[in-house]
Amino acid sequence: MLLRHTPDNLVERGALTINPAKTCQPIGAMYAALGVHGCLPHSHGSQGCCAYHRSTLTRHYKEPISAGTSSFTEGASVFGGQANLLQAIDNIFTVYEPEVIAVHTTCLSETIGDDLPQILDKADKDGKIPKGKHVIYANTPSYVGSHVTGFSNMVKGMARVAVSTGHKNGKVNIIPGWVEPADMEEIKRLAAMVGVDIIMFPDTSGVLNGPLSGEYKMFPEGGVTIKQLREAGDSIGTLALGEWCSADGARFLDTTLKVPCRVLDMPFGLRATDRFVDALRIVAGRSVPEEVAHERGQLVDMISDMHQYFYHKKVALAGDPDQLIAMTEFLTSIDMWPTHIVSGTPGKAFEARIRELTAGLPYAVNVKCDQTADMFLLHQWIKNDPVDLLMGNTYLKHIARDEDIPLVRWGFPILDRVGHQYFPTVGYKGGLRLLEKILSALLDRKDRDDQEHAFELVL
Amino acid sequence: MTPAMFNNDTTMTAAEIKEELLKKYPPKVARKRAKQIMINEALENETPEITANVRTIPGIITMRGCTYAGCKGVIMGPTRDIVNITHGPIGCGFYSWLTRRNQTDAYAPDAANYMTYCFSTDMQDKDIIFGGEKKLEAAIQEAYDLFHPKGICVFATCPVGLIGDDIHAVAAKMKAKFGDCNVFAFSCEGYKGVSQSAGHHIANNQVFKHLVGLDDQGKPGKYRINLLGEYNIGGDGFEIDRILNKCGVTNIATFSGNSTYDQFASSHTADLNAVMCHRSINYVADMLETKYGIPWVKVNFIGANAAAKSLRKIASYFGDQELIDRVEEVIAEEMPAVRAVAEEVRPRTEGKTAMLFVGGSRAHHYQELFKELGMKTISAGYEFAHRDDYEGRQVIPELKVDADSRNIEELEVSPDERLFRPRKSQEELRALESSGLKFKDYDGLIPDMERGAVVIDDLNQYEAEKLVELLKPDIFCAGIKEKFSIQKLGVPMKQLHSYDSGGPYAGFRGAINFYREIDRLVNSRVWGYLKAPWQENPELSATYVWE
């Protein structure tokens, strides 16, 4: 047993987190920043944070992740990190020549109280930011929220670039939230199908799913440009996908530049995708073409064809709130039973939303989203009430093996499988893929477990 | 200095390469980096020595990690029966959760193994404002109540040092309270020191202070050693243990691969310390000698020839003909399989070139394996080494202690009144030395590298990319962060911190694994697919006429 010390009996813990279902803010800020064209993320703190974040993102995407660090030693921790950051900005623009540097803080620089706007202002006045180049920033103390919060904060940092000329440009902003590069591509494809001209930020497609060609580009073609981010202030509206990841940036544009926003669920599964497409249509005043309805129908078709294999199957999930909400809705909508759900990312609305989505089920879902909502707790719940399927990141594989439960890898980070960079799980096409993954896991299991006399060729 | 050193058609001299690497830097950065780039045994060097273990330049994309990573991740991570609690916000604990591929074998199903768990106090903003000691105390209590481990270790992250939580006092209080659980802490905040190296030091010191010497019952055996600086990445430690067992040598404790609480506690009962990674642990070997009287020798189990040489070294120390013969038997038994694979692979690897930027010690050790494949290491350097790892131990007395090293505790060690026992008399030691066995000796990387090779300390992403472009090695070895930017350039990249996948690469079976892995990497067909036919031949000379 890999998790041989996890007992069945639940004990209340107040201080010790075991096998967390979250990580810290800066990695989210780093991921978001990679979705800006020509941007080098920069971690303002000691260099270990940056090394860890780059390593984890590299392992997840199997792509180079470049980022700078202020490399604090004890001196900077005592006297403040201004000198380090000024030097870093100078070195970065000289050596790597990015268009943009996206600075985020760490728990170290936050605790000593480094004032990013002040330091960046000084960098500008000292001429360390070359003409035509940009520095954006986000405050991302690791002791608040989670990686999701960090992502959201950097998205807000991008929204701060927007300006309003007073003339609407007819475009729609889409903030896709923490989804994969392939998902961002899929969202762009859907919007193009509906005929909506969009500005999407961040956009990691083309950045973190690049080709192997014998050439290394530190700054690939993809990513939202600073010009586009500026124009986002003239858009007719913003669709923010995911309350936790995207709403802050959208509301900022709404309150400061009067770009109205709608906060939607992430388009995982049938119903959330329906609402997304519908919102796109309405905000841009377009009609939805037949191709989109066709794709939708294919998903409905697969749900009906294979319903017998997932009907009332119990699922345990761990991950981030925006994804979990949409996934819970998808699972219940196809008559699966989400049973245990944990997210380390705090937010009171999460539990309420899950309760609302699962209200029609004949049992009360186990759901928790605070500091002690970790994978240790999830495992204990599973021991007490076993499930048919696990969904979440790679760190669930120990539970999967110990309890002999099939695992569908989905979320962040996935360190031991590939595909998430290239194949979307959002939209109707993504729904088909999700369903295929779920079915393959359940049916592989059935093929393994069925007795010989009941082993069937046709399923 | 002949350009032929680098082959692969480059006509550049090492001095030109160095100049090229420095060209783009602002002057101050260039001056600093110039001292960390050395042309081996060449007169072009501006300084007679290499500069190492100095601060990373802010903004320069570094390969280095931090002190916490060295302490919790590297040294304490591979010990299975200690509950390691990271005191801090969640990130540090999360990122050091099973990411180093340390393997462990907990033998019995009910034996303690906490390596699959990640423990953290997950500090929140109120803990930063009001202090985190209470939460830490409660977390230790909860861990104790849930698991009743032999030991609980606490690791400080950056903010903990800043807000002044006294983690050592909390640990001592809980240790006294439990009575049957050893609790101790590490002030390994990420900002201390300039790299992981400081963290190794902090970890080793605490293990030495709080754990070594607690249990006088070592394992039985005629020839008893400790293996220092072996972390069982990809099962390296398993293979070395297999070989030692086969020779009849007992490994009391590995610091710290596949290790346990009891191994550390009884390590003072060994009669010889064999040091693998000089960087991470040479000072522990010194302390074990001073306090308990155990001499140490440097060994290297990476590479079949190196492993054989190290086994002979250990045997000659014990001096028994029985062991000396047994070691020769084992080498004779193991080598044919190794040679067979080497001979099979060598036609495909001979003459190829490698670059290694990894470790403390790995950038040195792995050159042995490449040599066995007929491959040449044209450039190498360490991520977190000190000058002695490059130039040899004779430079240690002249190393300057700077501000960043001064805050790392140096233990004052004296002979233990009860436990000090010289393993060999002065006479015996002298006799062994005159027969060629060198104690406390390490010549460093530089003497083993070819004249004119480029030795670079703390290589960064920009220089890595430039080096690869200029010298086009057949393989590049570093860590996960470097892997894909190198591969985008069309050069295979092997991780040597955690090996990507695969292993073990130590010992005889490890050598076979490595030969096959390098053969696979440098001869993979994929590197021939980088350009599509229409990219290789873009001009349209004629068009088809479709029928």
Side-chain angles (χ1 to χ4, degrees):
Chain A
M1 297 291 272
L2 292 157
L3 299 166
R4 57 180 72 179
H5 302 288
T6 304
D8 302 0
N9 62 313
L10 289 151
V11 191
E12 194 70 24
R13 281 174 286 128
L16 188 66
T17 296
I18 311 174
N19 298 355
K22 67 165 175 183
T23 183
C24 65
Q25 282 212 52
I27 196 170
M30 190 181 280
Y31 176 55
L34 290 164
V36 177
H37 178 68
C39 178
L40 190 77
H42 181 83
S43 168
H44 186 51
S46 60
Q47 69 208 12
C49 312
C50 186
Y52 274 143
H53 301 145
R54 290 178 62 207
S55 297
T56 305
L57 290 170
T58 302
R59 288 184 177 117
H60 179 83
Y61 292 105
K62 316 267 182 260
E63 286 289 315
I65 307 286
S66 300
T69 160
S70 294
S71 288
F72 277 39
T73 60
E74 211 154 50
S77 307
V78 174
F79 299 114
Q82 174 167 301
N84 288 48
L85 186 51
L86 293 176
Q87 197 190 344
I89 288 171
D90 197 18
N91 285 336
I92 287 170
F93 278 127
T94 311
V95 180
Y96 310 110
E97 303 176 48
E99 297 298 315
V100 193
I101 299 174
V103 183
H104 60 262
T105 55
T106 61
C107 48
L108 171 54
S109 54
E110 283 287 332
T111 307
I112 64 174
D114 273 357
D115 182 351
L116 278 194
Q118 175 265 317
I119 300 175
L120 297 180
D121 189 46
K122 183 169 167 54
D124 197 22
K125 285 192 180 123
D126 292 357
K128 296 208 186 301
I129 303 171
K131 213 171 157 24
K133 304 274 180 166
H134 307 271
V135 181
I136 62 173
Y137 72 93
N139 289 93
T140 51
S142 317
Y143 38 78
V144 175
S146 77
H147 57 292
V148 175
T149 322
F151 183 95
S152 168
N153 285 338
M154 187 51 87
V155 167
K156 201 172 161 186
M158 291 171 205
R160 273 195 291 262
V161 175
V163 285
S164 168
T165 62
H167 301 288
K168 291 290 177 194
N169 57 20
K171 293 179 182 177
V172 177
N173 301 327
I174 296 182
I175 307 181
W178 189 320
V179 289
E180 299 290 333
D183 295 323
M184 299 194 187
E185 221 160 82
E186 178 66 8
I187 287 167
K188 285 193 287 190
R189 191 183 71 92
L190 269 176
M193 280 168 89
V194 182
V196 184
D197 200 357
I198 65 163
I199 296 171
M200 188 168 79
F201 64 93
D203 179 6
T204 58
S205 64
V207 182
L208 294 177
N209 53 2
L212 180 64
S213 63
E215 234 184 303
Y216 167 57
K217 287 185 187 162
M218 188 181 266
F219 308 109
E221 297 305 315
V224 65
T225 61
I226 287 288
K227 184 168 169 281
Q228 289 173 310
L229 283 176
R230 282 179 182 280
E231 287 173 13
D234 285 336
S235 292
I236 50 174
T238 305
L239 295 181
L241 308 184
E243 176 68 44
W244 273 259
C245 282
S246 310
D248 275 5
R251 290 195 182 115
F252 177 81
L253 288 176
D254 198 336
T255 50
T256 56
L257 302 178
K258 305 278 180 288
V259 181
C261 73
R262 260 192 81 183
V263 181
L264 299 166
D265 290 327
M266 280 184 173
F268 287 106
L270 183 71
R271 304 302 291 168
T273 303
D274 283 349
R275 292 194 296 274
F276 170 61
V277 173
D278 207 36
L280 258 183
R281 165 185 78 107
I282 291 165
V283 71
R286 302 270 167 176
S287 54
V288 179
E290 187 46 38
E291 300 106 280
V292 176
H294 181 76
E295 286 183 9
R296 182 183 189 276
Q298 290 174 326
L299 178 56
V300 177
D301 188 57
M302 193 196 274
I303 295 171
S304 96
D305 288 346
M306 304 303 277
H307 190 251
Q308 63 273 31
Y309 294 112
F310 43 75
Y311 179 69
H312 286 191
K313 287 281 192 299
K314 288 157 85 171
V315 190
L317 301 117
D320 302 335
D322 292 328
Q323 285 89 336
L324 286 174
I325 284 168
M327 185 56 74
T328 300
E329 187 190 29
F330 184 42
L331 295 175
T332 57
S333 75
I334 61 172
D335 298 311
M336 290 183 82
W337 280 353
T339 307
H340 314 300
I341 305 170
V342 295
S343 174
T345 298
K348 286 198 181 91
F350 177 73
E351 196 182 323
R353 191 71 208 287
I354 295 291
R355 295 253 174 254
E356 185 190 311
L357 289 168
T358 56
L361 300 178
Y363 60 90
V365 174
N366 274 325
V367 54
K368 210 165 186 208
C369 74
D370 59 19
Q371 186 207 335
T372 50
D374 48 31
M375 292 187 189
F376 187 78
L377 174 70
L378 186 77
H379 193 181
Q380 291 190 305
W381 279 344
I382 290 169
K383 278 175 180 288
N384 285 288
D385 183 3
V387 293
D388 302 296
L389 184 71
L390 276 167
M391 292 184 79
N393 70 30
T394 287
Y395 283 95
L396 288 174
K397 77 189 273 185
H398 298 90
I399 302 176
R401 180 168 149 137
D402 276 2
E403 305 299 333
D404 197 16
I405 304 169
L407 165 64
V408 169
R409 284 165 180 80
W410 170 76
F412 178 83
I414 295 170
L415 308 170
D416 61 340
R417 294 292 189 276
V418 291
H420 46 277
Q421 311 90 326
Y422 301 115
F423 310 116
T425 51
V426 299
Y428 302 119
K429 285 262 188 231
L432 282 173
R433 179 164 174 258
L434 272 172
L435 207 53
E436 182 230 343
K437 281 169 78 100
I438 291 170
L439 278 163
S440 294
L442 292 172
L443 296 180
D444 281 350
R445 177 57 189 264
K446 178 177 161 57
D447 280 343
R448 198 193 75 188
D449 291 351
D450 274 350
Q451 290 194 309
E452 285 190 16
H453 67 265
F455 186 79
E456 288 170 308
L457 182 72
V458 181
L459 291 173
Chain B
M1 163 78 237
T2 53
M5 166 71 214
F6 302 117
N7 71 23
N8 281 352
D9 308 324
T10 186
T11 51
M12 292 181 88
T13 65
E16 284 164 350
I17 284 156
K18 180 171 174 174
E19 202 185 308
E20 193 64 31
L21 294 182
L22 298 174
K23 216 157 75 181
K24 203 173 185 190
Y25 289 132
K28 254 174 86 176
V29 177
R31 273 200 299 280
K32 185 170 175 183
R33 288 301 298 154
K35 294 178 192 159
Q36 289 173 275
I37 302 174
M38 196 182 199
I39 302 157
N40 201 24
E41 298 175 60
L43 297 172
E44 291 96 330
N45 297 307
E46 288 143 51
T47 48
E49 69 217 22
I50 194 159
T51 296
N53 193 36
V54 293
R55 289 182 186 182
T56 318
I57 302 160
I60 300 296
I61 301 176
T62 175
M63 294 181 179
R64 284 172 165 178
C66 69
T67 302
Y68 165 84
C71 181
K72 196 270 182 179
V74 176
I75 306 290
M76 297 312 290
T79 302
R80 67 171 164 273
D81 56 357
I82 292 178
V83 167
N84 289 321
I85 301 178
T86 301
H87 185 38
I90 199 67
C92 306
F94 181 87
Y95 303 117
S96 56
W97 180 15
L98 290 176
T99 46
R100 244 179 83 82
R101 293 196 69 228
N102 302 113
Q103 299 187 359
T104 199
D105 182 356
Y107 311 113
D110 57 344
N113 179 13
Y114 303 108
M115 277 169 58
T116 48
Y117 292 89
C118 163
F119 303 97
S120 170
T121 56
D122 190 5
M123 290 173 91
Q124 301 297 305
D125 45 359
K126 68 175 191 311
D127 305 314
I128 301 296
I129 296 163
F130 300 111
E133 289 179 17
K134 283 211 171 68
K135 190 170 197 186
L136 175 60
E137 196 177 312
I140 295 171
Q141 185 69 52
E142 287 172 8
Y144 178 78
D145 293 341
L146 270 168
F147 308 112
H148 296 281
K150 284 181 176 169
I152 296 177
C153 287
V154 175
F155 302 85
T157 59
C158 289
V160 168
L162 296 176
I163 64 173
D165 275 0
D166 190 345
I167 55 170
H168 303 285
V170 174
K173 179 180 165 190
M174 299 312 275
K175 180 182 174 176
K177 184 179 175 193
F178 300 146
D180 62 350
C181 175
N182 192 358
V183 189
F184 55 102
F186 304 81
S187 291
C188 56
E189 294 86 348
Y191 55 75
K192 279 197 172 162
V194 298
S195 71
Q196 296 95 310
S197 176
H200 307 150
H201 208 144
I202 291 164
N204 284 321
N205 281 350
Q206 293 299 82
V207 168
F208 193 81
K209 270 206 295 202
H210 294 274
L211 199 39
V212 171
L214 292 183
D215 177 7
D216 292 345
Q217 293 211 318
K219 292 173 207 155
K222 206 166 166 190
Y223 316 108
R224 294 150 22 107
I225 69 165
N226 295 319
L227 193 59
L228 306 189
E230 160 49 49
Y231 303 101
N232 200 30
I233 307 292
D236 277 354
F238 295 148
E239 165 67 359
I240 299 174
D241 280 349
R242 179 187 73 84
I243 297 169
L244 292 174
N245 278 338
K246 203 170 167 185
C247 293
V249 175
T250 305
N251 181 12
I252 302 282
T254 301
F255 286 60
S256 44
N258 188 32
S259 47
T260 62
Y261 184 92
D262 291 342
Q263 282 188 26
F264 289 130
S266 62
S267 57
H268 63 292
T269 63
D271 294 319
L272 175 71
N273 284 321
V275 175
M276 280 274 289
C277 175
H278 176 265
R279 175 63 266 135
S280 60
I281 206 158
N282 70 84
Y283 36 87
V284 174
D286 277 343
M287 294 192 293
L288 284 164
E289 176 156 25
T290 310
K291 190 165 179 183
Y292 302 107
I294 313 170
W296 69 269
V297 292
K298 172 79 176 71
V299 293
N300 173 18
F301 281 93
I302 305 297
N305 296 332
K309 210 169 130 189
S310 296
L311 287 175
R312 290 186 178 117
K313 213 172 186 178
I314 291 167
S316 72
Y317 166 78
F318 286 103
D320 285 1
Q321 200 55 45
E322 191 191 8
L323 178 62
I324 293 168
D325 293 345
R326 180 62 193 147
V327 160
E328 291 307 326
E329 274 171 38
V330 169
I331 295 169
E333 256 177 62
E334 299 279 339
M335 282 306 265
V338 178
R339 277 197 207 105
V341 179
E343 274 162 31
E344 179 209 318
V345 167
R346 211 170 154 128
R348 297 190 292 269
T349 53
E350 183 87 55
K352 293 199 187 296
T353 57
M355 291 181 178
L356 287 78
F357 293 93
V358 62
S361 292
R362 285 178 194 259
H364 185 188
H365 290 161
Y366 276 83
Q367 295 190 25
E368 293 270 352
L369 272 169
F370 283 115
K371 263 183 216 155
E372 289 167 10
L373 290 169
M375 291 175 66
K376 193 155 70 170
T377 303
I378 52 177
S379 188
Y382 297 127
E383 183 180 356
F384 49 79
H386 301 200
R387 267 185 64 204
D388 41 314
D389 303 300
Y390 289 102
E391 298 174 61
R393 287 182 65 84
Q394 75 280 357
V395 303
I396 290 178
E398 38 172 297
L399 294 184
K400 287 180 222 90
V401 182
D402 58 20
D404 295 310
S405 306
R406 201 165 285 129
N407 55 33
I408 314 299
E409 183 186 32
E410 283 295 337
L411 296 185
E412 288 285 333
V413 177
S414 55
D416 189 283
E417 283 175 24
R418 190 171 64 87
L419 297 168
F420 182 84
R421 179 172 58 83
R423 290 347 193 236
K424 300 265 180 193
S425 68
Q426 286 302 318
E427 227 167 57
E428 286 171 314
L429 289 174
R430 267 197 299 277
L432 281 170
E433 272 187 312
S434 58
S435 74
L437 181 67
K438 290 179 175 169
F439 291 97
K440 288 214 252 196
D441 183 62
Y442 180 52
D443 289 336
L445 165 83
I446 283 175
D448 271 354
M449 287 201 67
E450 286 192 47
R451 201 180 145 78
V454 187
V455 178
I456 308 180
D457 181 62
D458 184 19
L459 185 84
N460 58 55
Q461 177 166 331
Y462 174 73
E463 292 166 12
E465 192 193 325
K466 271 270 163 255
L467 264 185
V468 168
E469 277 173 11
L470 296 173
L471 296 177
K472 297 188 182 53
D474 295 295
I475 192 164
F476 189 95
C477 303
I480 181 68
K481 301 190 295 297
E482 294 75 48
K483 185 173 177 74
F484 298 101
S485 56
I486 299 296
Q487 292 201 162
K488 290 283 189 207
L489 290 162
V491 172
M493 147 80 206
K494 178 70 184 168
Q495 280 189 71
L496 284 185
H497 292 292
S498 63
Y499 298 165
D500 292 308
S501 55
Y505 298 134
F508 301 109
R509 290 182 185 168
I512 291 172
N513 290 338
F514 197 77
Y515 299 161
R516 295 213 182 281
E517 174 71 348
I518 297 307
D519 177 29
R520 177 185 75 78
L521 281 163
V522 300
N523 293 305
S524 165
R525 290 171 199 260
V526 73
W527 309 113
Y529 306 147
L530 302 178
K531 293 280 171 273
W534 58 91
Q535 290 169 315
E536 277 168 351
N537 244 332
E539 285 83 31
L540 278 180
S541 52
T543 50
Y544 283 107
V545 179
W546 290 98
E547 290 171 19

